[in-house]
Amino acid sequence: MVPAKHEPLVSLATWQTIQERRFGMAAKVPARVDLSEDFPLRGFVTCGHCGEPLTACWSKGRSARYPYYLCDTRGCVESRKSIRRDVIEGEFETLLHQLRPSEGLFNLAFQMFRDLWQAKLASTRTQGATLKQELRAVERKVEQLLDRIVDATSASVVAAYERRIKELETQKALMRERLGSNGKPLTSFSESYRTAFDFLANPCKLWKSERIEDRRAVLKLVFADRLPYVRGEGYRTAEISLPFKLLGSLNMTEKEMVPRAGIEPATLRFSVACSTN
Ligand SMILES: [Zn+2]
């Protein structure tokens, strides 16, 4: 791996996180070849009895076609027993709606992220100040060597000084380059966090999208695993992804002190993407 000469779009750390998310999630929400806008939950919702993903189809009635989800596993007690689409998808929307964090907690989380962003910016600025000092020290060294060259009489000594100056000049160029990009975030706070926070505030909004890709993204982002459903009873306990879990558990302790230590690990995932380090 060679450092890029152009300004990176994302840091290497961010890129790695994205790869982990993409391939880690692929196992939970399979990309189906027959991904259908008619059945966004197909392949994601599982049968509460046998654990296999539900399938879905249009069933022909006398005068119209009706959409259904069903378990297609041989030997399962629920095999081929259809669940009306509006029932299973309606209950899904209710579930999604329940995951919306309360306004107070949402604002608190938002402020915490902003504080972290500021802290990270401040620390990169400190690093910049140190780097400036180091650069000045190198510049002084070059000046001293130049003075010595003037006084030197031996050709070999002059050549040695020149080699050393060349090395220091390269070092200076590298430091200037680092200083040039130091402390500047790749995007502003509002740009980086707006989409994420819009989604956290109300995942139902994206679920209402016309695009099947958006709706599948909701499944990937909100749930940590597939969702079991029992016909006539509803969804079993859902494995919710970390940000929603966190906002949900905060919900329960809203009146108490917010445990800061409990929040730190999750916020690390949202570290500021700066152009250096
Ligand atoms: Zn089944």
Side-chain angles (χ1 to χ4, degrees):
M1 229 179 241
V2 180
K5 287 200 175 76
H6 57 80
E7 192 157 338
L9 291 170
V10 291
S11 68
L12 182 62
T14 309
W15 184 82
Q16 274 171 333
T17 310
I18 293 167
Q19 299 308 303
E20 279 164 22
R21 294 280 170 87
R22 281 185 62 198
F23 298 108
M25 280 295 176
K28 289 172 207 150
V29 185
R32 287 182 61 114
V33 278
D34 60 344
L35 200 64
S36 160
E37 281 172 20
D38 294 340
F39 303 105
L41 294 177
R42 181 163 64 188
F44 175 71
V45 171
T46 59
C47 166
H49 287 276
C50 68
E52 290 299 314
L54 294 183
T55 187
C57 62
W58 286 91
S59 182
K60 257 188 202 162
R62 276 188 192 166
S63 56
R65 291 160 72 234
Y66 302 95
Y68 289 105
Y69 282 83
L70 55 109
C71 172
D72 198 23
T73 311
R74 253 210 224 159
C76 177
V77 287
E78 285 295 307
S79 183
R80 306 302 298 175
K81 289 178 185 166
S82 30
I83 307 155
R84 272 172 41 212
R85 185 180 68 178
D86 56 351
V87 171
I88 192 168
E89 290 188 5
E91 284 175 30
F92 178 78
E93 271 179 45
T94 309
L95 180 71
L96 210 52
H97 204 77
Q98 285 164 357
L99 291 174
R100 290 174 58 176
S102 77
E103 204 187 321
L105 275 159
F106 178 77
N107 290 338
L108 177 69
F110 185 81
Q111 275 160 28
M112 285 169 69
F113 279 104
R114 208 180 45 197
D115 288 351
L116 274 167
W117 177 277
Q118 298 296 353
K120 178 84 184 175
L121 272 188
S123 98
T124 45
R125 273 190 214 114
T126 317
Q127 281 168 20
T130 314
L131 198 59
K132 261 183 203 160
Q133 277 175 5
E134 284 170 12
L135 179 64
R136 274 197 291 273
V138 174
E139 279 168 349
R140 272 199 298 276
K141 208 158 196 175
V142 172
E143 282 164 21
Q144 282 167 5
L145 284 169
L146 285 169
D147 287 344
R148 280 189 213 170
I149 285 183
V150 175
D151 297 334
T153 47
S154 149
S156 62
V157 171
V158 170
Y161 283 152
E162 280 174 347
R163 270 200 306 278
R164 182 71 188 124
I165 289 171
K166 207 177 163 189
E167 281 167 17
L168 289 172
E169 288 295 341
T170 311
Q171 206 179 327
K172 266 168 63 183
L174 285 170
M175 290 169 111
R176 284 214 181 94
E177 192 184 79
R178 276 181 64 199
L179 265 172
S181 56
N182 196 279
K184 282 186 215 144
L186 294 178
T187 53
S188 70
F189 177 80
S190 60
E191 271 177 287
S192 304
Y193 285 71
R194 197 192 303 122
T195 315
F197 272 90
D198 274 357
F199 177 69
L200 284 172
N202 189 1
C204 305
K205 216 158 82 181
L206 192 62
W207 182 249
K208 295 248 175 355
S209 162
E210 303 269 295
R211 296 177 63 236
I212 183 73
E213 294 83 0
D214 289 346
R215 309 187 89 186
R216 299 293 288 186
V218 172
L219 303 178
K220 288 181 193 183
L221 292 168
V222 175
F223 300 96
D225 209 345
R226 287 174 175 172
L227 200 52
Y229 184 87
V230 180
R231 190 176 58 96
E233 290 177 29
Y235 288 99
R236 291 264 169 88
T237 314
E239 275 298 322
I240 296 156
S241 69
L242 188 62
F244 285 96
K245 205 187 263 177
L246 204 69
L247 286 165
S249 62
L250 279 175
N251 236 337
M252 288 175 221
T253 55
E254 197 173 3
K255 289 192 183 76
E256 300 162 26
M257 285 271 288
V258 176
R260 185 150 184 109
I263 289 159
E264 295 289 351
T267 55
L268 291 178
R269 281 170 177 251
F270 291 83
S271 61
V272 181
C274 282
S275 46
T276 53
N277 74 40

Short mmCIF file of all heavy atoms in Angstrom, two decimals, residues 39-61:
data_model
loop_
_atom_site.label_atom_id
_atom_site.label_comp_id
_atom_site.label_asym_id
_atom_site.label_seq_id
_atom_site.Cartn_x
_atom_site.Cartn_y
_atom_site.Cartn_z
N PHE A 39 -42.25 -6.78 -2.37
CA PHE A 39 -42.03 -7.46 -1.09
C PHE A 39 -40.70 -7.08 -0.46
O PHE A 39 -39.74 -7.87 -0.48
CB PHE A 39 -42.10 -8.98 -1.30
CG PHE A 39 -43.38 -9.44 -1.92
CD1 PHE A 39 -43.42 -9.83 -3.26
CD2 PHE A 39 -44.56 -9.48 -1.17
CE1 PHE A 39 -44.61 -10.26 -3.83
CE2 PHE A 39 -45.75 -9.90 -1.75
CZ PHE A 39 -45.78 -10.29 -3.09
N PRO A 40 -40.62 -5.89 0.13
CA PRO A 40 -39.32 -5.44 0.68
C PRO A 40 -38.82 -6.28 1.85
O PRO A 40 -37.62 -6.28 2.13
CB PRO A 40 -39.62 -4.01 1.13
CG PRO A 40 -41.09 -3.94 1.32
CD PRO A 40 -41.68 -4.88 0.31
N LEU A 41 -39.73 -7.00 2.52
CA LEU A 41 -39.30 -7.78 3.69
C LEU A 41 -38.89 -9.21 3.34
O LEU A 41 -38.40 -9.94 4.20
CB LEU A 41 -40.42 -7.82 4.74
CG LEU A 41 -40.82 -6.50 5.39
CD1 LEU A 41 -41.98 -6.71 6.34
CD2 LEU A 41 -39.64 -5.89 6.14
N ARG A 42 -39.08 -9.59 2.09
CA ARG A 42 -38.76 -10.96 1.69
C ARG A 42 -37.26 -11.25 1.88
O ARG A 42 -36.41 -10.46 1.50
CB ARG A 42 -39.14 -11.20 0.24
CG ARG A 42 -38.83 -12.63 -0.21
CD ARG A 42 -39.54 -13.03 -1.46
NE ARG A 42 -39.12 -12.22 -2.59
CZ ARG A 42 -39.70 -12.26 -3.78
NH1 ARG A 42 -40.74 -13.05 -3.98
NH2 ARG A 42 -39.27 -11.52 -4.77
N GLY A 43 -36.99 -12.39 2.49
CA GLY A 43 -35.60 -12.78 2.71
C GLY A 43 -35.04 -12.21 4.01
O GLY A 43 -34.02 -12.66 4.51
N PHE A 44 -35.72 -11.20 4.57
CA PHE A 44 -35.23 -10.58 5.81
C PHE A 44 -36.03 -11.05 7.01
O PHE A 44 -35.49 -11.35 8.07
CB PHE A 44 -35.30 -9.06 5.69
CG PHE A 44 -34.91 -8.35 6.95
CD1 PHE A 44 -33.59 -8.34 7.37
CD2 PHE A 44 -35.87 -7.74 7.75
CE1 PHE A 44 -33.23 -7.72 8.56
CE2 PHE A 44 -35.52 -7.12 8.93
CZ PHE A 44 -34.19 -7.10 9.33
N VAL A 45 -37.35 -11.13 6.84
CA VAL A 45 -38.19 -11.62 7.92
C VAL A 45 -38.18 -13.15 7.87
O VAL A 45 -38.30 -13.73 6.79
CB VAL A 45 -39.62 -11.06 7.81
CG1 VAL A 45 -40.56 -11.74 8.81
CG2 VAL A 45 -39.62 -9.56 8.05
N THR A 46 -37.97 -13.76 9.04
CA THR A 46 -37.90 -15.23 9.07
C THR A 46 -39.15 -15.81 9.72
O THR A 46 -39.87 -15.10 10.43
CB THR A 46 -36.67 -15.71 9.87
OG1 THR A 46 -36.76 -15.18 11.20
CG2 THR A 46 -35.37 -15.28 9.23
N CYS A 47 -39.37 -17.08 9.47
CA CYS A 47 -40.50 -17.78 10.09
C CYS A 47 -40.17 -17.98 11.57
O CYS A 47 -39.10 -18.49 11.90
CB CYS A 47 -40.69 -19.12 9.39
SG CYS A 47 -41.78 -20.26 10.27
N GLY A 48 -41.07 -17.57 12.44
CA GLY A 48 -40.84 -17.68 13.89
C GLY A 48 -40.80 -19.12 14.37
O GLY A 48 -40.38 -19.40 15.49
N HIS A 49 -41.23 -20.06 13.53
CA HIS A 49 -41.23 -21.48 13.92
C HIS A 49 -39.97 -22.21 13.48
O HIS A 49 -39.34 -22.88 14.27
CB HIS A 49 -42.48 -22.17 13.37
CG HIS A 49 -43.72 -21.78 14.08
ND1 HIS A 49 -44.13 -22.37 15.25
CD2 HIS A 49 -44.62 -20.79 13.83
CE1 HIS A 49 -45.24 -21.80 15.68
NE2 HIS A 49 -45.56 -20.83 14.83
N CYS A 50 -39.64 -22.08 12.21
CA CYS A 50 -38.49 -22.86 11.72
C CYS A 50 -37.24 -21.99 11.51
O CYS A 50 -36.15 -22.52 11.29
CB CYS A 50 -38.84 -23.59 10.43
SG CYS A 50 -39.12 -22.48 9.03
N GLY A 51 -37.39 -20.68 11.55
CA GLY A 51 -36.22 -19.80 11.44
C GLY A 51 -35.77 -19.52 10.02
O GLY A 51 -34.83 -18.76 9.80
N GLU A 52 -36.41 -20.13 9.05
CA GLU A 52 -36.04 -19.89 7.64
C GLU A 52 -36.68 -18.60 7.13
O GLU A 52 -37.77 -18.23 7.58
CB GLU A 52 -36.51 -21.07 6.77
CG GLU A 52 -35.75 -22.37 6.99
CD GLU A 52 -34.27 -22.26 6.68
OE1 GLU A 52 -33.92 -21.69 5.63
OE2 GLU A 52 -33.46 -22.72 7.51
N PRO A 53 -36.01 -17.91 6.20
CA PRO A 53 -36.60 -16.67 5.68
C PRO A 53 -37.95 -16.92 5.00
O PRO A 53 -38.12 -17.94 4.33
CB PRO A 53 -35.57 -16.19 4.65
CG PRO A 53 -34.33 -16.92 4.95
CD PRO A 53 -34.71 -18.21 5.59
N LEU A 54 -38.88 -16.01 5.22
CA LEU A 54 -40.18 -16.13 4.56
C LEU A 54 -40.03 -15.79 3.09
O LEU A 54 -39.19 -15.00 2.71
CB LEU A 54 -41.20 -15.16 5.18
CG LEU A 54 -41.63 -15.38 6.63
CD1 LEU A 54 -42.68 -14.35 7.01
CD2 LEU A 54 -42.17 -16.78 6.84
N THR A 55 -40.86 -16.40 2.27
CA THR A 55 -40.90 -16.03 0.87
C THR A 55 -42.20 -15.23 0.65
O THR A 55 -42.95 -15.02 1.61
CB THR A 55 -40.79 -17.29 -0.03
OG1 THR A 55 -40.68 -16.85 -1.37
CG2 THR A 55 -41.97 -18.22 0.13
N ALA A 56 -42.42 -14.79 -0.55
CA ALA A 56 -43.63 -13.99 -0.79
C ALA A 56 -44.11 -14.19 -2.22
O ALA A 56 -43.32 -14.56 -3.10
CB ALA A 56 -43.32 -12.52 -0.55
N CYS A 57 -45.39 -13.98 -2.44
CA CYS A 57 -45.91 -14.11 -3.81
C CYS A 57 -47.26 -13.42 -3.95
O CYS A 57 -47.86 -13.02 -2.96
CB CYS A 57 -46.05 -15.59 -4.16
SG CYS A 57 -47.23 -16.43 -3.10
N TRP A 58 -47.68 -13.30 -5.19
CA TRP A 58 -49.03 -12.80 -5.49
C TRP A 58 -49.91 -14.02 -5.66
O TRP A 58 -49.57 -14.94 -6.39
CB TRP A 58 -49.02 -11.98 -6.78
CG TRP A 58 -48.39 -10.63 -6.61
CD1 TRP A 58 -47.09 -10.32 -6.80
CD2 TRP A 58 -49.05 -9.43 -6.24
NE1 TRP A 58 -46.88 -9.00 -6.55
CE2 TRP A 58 -48.08 -8.42 -6.21
CE3 TRP A 58 -50.38 -9.11 -5.91
CZ2 TRP A 58 -48.37 -7.11 -5.87
CZ3 TRP A 58 -50.67 -7.80 -5.58
CH2 TRP A 58 -49.69 -6.81 -5.55
N SER A 59 -51.05 -14.03 -4.98
CA SER A 59 -51.94 -15.17 -5.09
C SER A 59 -53.19 -14.76 -5.88
O SER A 59 -53.73 -13.68 -5.66
CB SER A 59 -52.31 -15.61 -3.68
OG SER A 59 -53.13 -16.73 -3.73
N LYS A 60 -53.61 -15.62 -6.78
CA LYS A 60 -54.75 -15.28 -7.64
C LYS A 60 -56.07 -15.54 -6.93
O LYS A 60 -56.31 -16.63 -6.44
CB LYS A 60 -54.70 -16.12 -8.92
CG LYS A 60 -54.20 -15.34 -10.11
CD LYS A 60 -54.37 -16.15 -11.37
CE LYS A 60 -53.42 -15.64 -12.42
NZ LYS A 60 -53.22 -16.61 -13.49
N GLY A 61 -56.91 -14.53 -6.88
CA GLY A 61 -58.26 -14.71 -6.35
C GLY A 61 -59.21 -14.81 -7.54
O GLY A 61 -58.78 -14.97 -8.67
#
